[in-house]
Amino acid sequence: MTGNATFRHDNTALLAVTSVEAPVVVSSAEFDERLAPSLKRLRLSKRLLERVAGVTERRWWSPGTDFDDAAIEAGAKAMAEAGIEPGEVGLLINTSVTRRNLEPSVAVKIHHSLGLPSSAMNFDLANACLGFVNGMTLAANMIDSGQIKYALIVAGEDAQQTQEATFRRLNREDSTRQDFLSEFATLTLGSGAAAAVLGPADQHPGSHRILGGVSRAGTEHHELCVGGIDGMYTDTKGLLDGGLDLVVTAWHEAQADGWAWDSMDRYVTHQVSNSYTNAIIKAVDLEREKVPITFPHWGNVGPASLPMTLAQEGASLRSGDRVLCLGVGSGLNTSMMEIAW
């Protein structure tokens, strides 16, 4: 056994999962126009984002809307859908990658704006694109232990500032083809928000049971994708290869520990690109029609990506369906979580 052991939850349910789409649609064709001088000088063809990544468009927030405002909206929506009052929440975890300052946490504004009680613990959990799933696992452990009754997990992402800075760098006269390739993944990012409410399953008949899953770390790959407010630099091939190895290892070790994930009703993966999705499907032999795809229109919305996709799929899932949430975050880390819908 390598890395962390698999985990199981006894009495935790997903009561609601919601999303908020950013309203401003920005096409990859528009990105091509913004980068036209660089593409011409470096002899790179247009439509790379569509042809290589499969991202046709992504979304930005309207002027005056901040990422944490969107997380607040998603959180309020999730509590309303779950039928939970703010005063009942014992834990708030913000999993956003986006932040405007190092301290205080993003969580404090969300806690205050949602009117959560002083007794509700609140903090940020940062683990790249895997943060939301990690937050659900942590919350489930605390619910199972009886420490809290209800948890609210949120994520709000804003890709615009980072992408604007990337445009400026790539359009400089001294930018190179390697610069373009190392920042290509930044152009696939998108903006959006999501939230989920977790609570005790025995008090919510008919809710979606969180059964457990597996988590694995491959931190020897910690330099393959490094991001900041002004940019993200990625070894795309190295990230894909390392991520696939980690996913396959975690998958097989989970099977050996009693998890049977080869016949799920839905596989909700973190949304990155065509190549990533196709590679995951092939590596663990998933049924393609059971893997919903949202990245062509939302881009990679970081930790909000997977719960946004899950929220979209909720309308077509039936009671008793088995759902596997599967994500990889730069670092590298992977986590898989089974939900009995």
Side-chain angles (χ1 to χ4, degrees), residues 96-109:
S96 309
V97 169
T98 305
R99 62 185 57 248
R100 67 175 60 85
N101 41 254
L102 293 177
E103 59 176 304
S105 69
V106 176
V108 294
K109 176 181 174 180

Side-chain angles (χ1 to χ4, degrees), residues 151-230:
L152 176 63
I153 318 300
V154 301
E157 301 302 334
D158 187 351
Q160 182 174 0
Q161 180 178 345
T162 301
Q163 289 171 333
E164 295 281 9
T166 301
F167 291 148
R168 290 192 291 272
R169 275 193 302 276
L170 294 183
N171 275 328
R172 291 190 317 216
E173 287 297 323
D174 60 349
S175 68
T176 66
R177 289 174 69 96
Q178 184 54 46
D179 291 333
F180 194 97
L181 293 175
S182 68
E183 297 203 55
F184 182 77
T186 310
L187 305 176
T188 70
L189 300 177
S191 304
V197 173
L198 278 62
D202 59 2
Q203 296 186 35
H204 294 272
S207 55
H208 317 308
R209 288 289 300 270
I210 297 178
L211 302 181
V214 62
S215 180
R216 290 291 181 270
T219 53
E220 66 271 22
H221 302 299
H222 65 276
E223 295 183 341
L224 294 179
C225 181
V226 179
I229 293 174
D230 290 332

Side-chain angles (χ1 to χ4, degrees), residues 303-325:
S305 173
L306 190 152
M308 287 178 69
T309 304
L310 181 60
Q312 173 184 278
E313 292 300 295
S316 63
L317 289 168
R318 297 173 297 179
S319 178
D321 280 349
R322 298 175 64 209
V323 180
L324 184 68
C325 298

Side-chain angles (χ1 to χ4, degrees), residues 222-242:
H222 65 276
E223 295 183 341
L224 294 179
C225 181
V226 179
I229 293 174
D230 290 332
M232 183 173 74
Y233 304 88
T234 305
D235 176 348
T236 305
K237 185 179 185 306
L239 196 67
L240 178 60
D241 292 344

Side-chain angles (χ1 to χ4, degrees), residues 29-43:
E30 292 177 68
F31 273 28
D32 282 345
E33 290 305 312
R34 295 282 299 270
L35 290 166
S38 177
L39 291 171
K40 182 178 180 180
R41 180 174 55 81
L42 299 175
R43 298 181 180 180

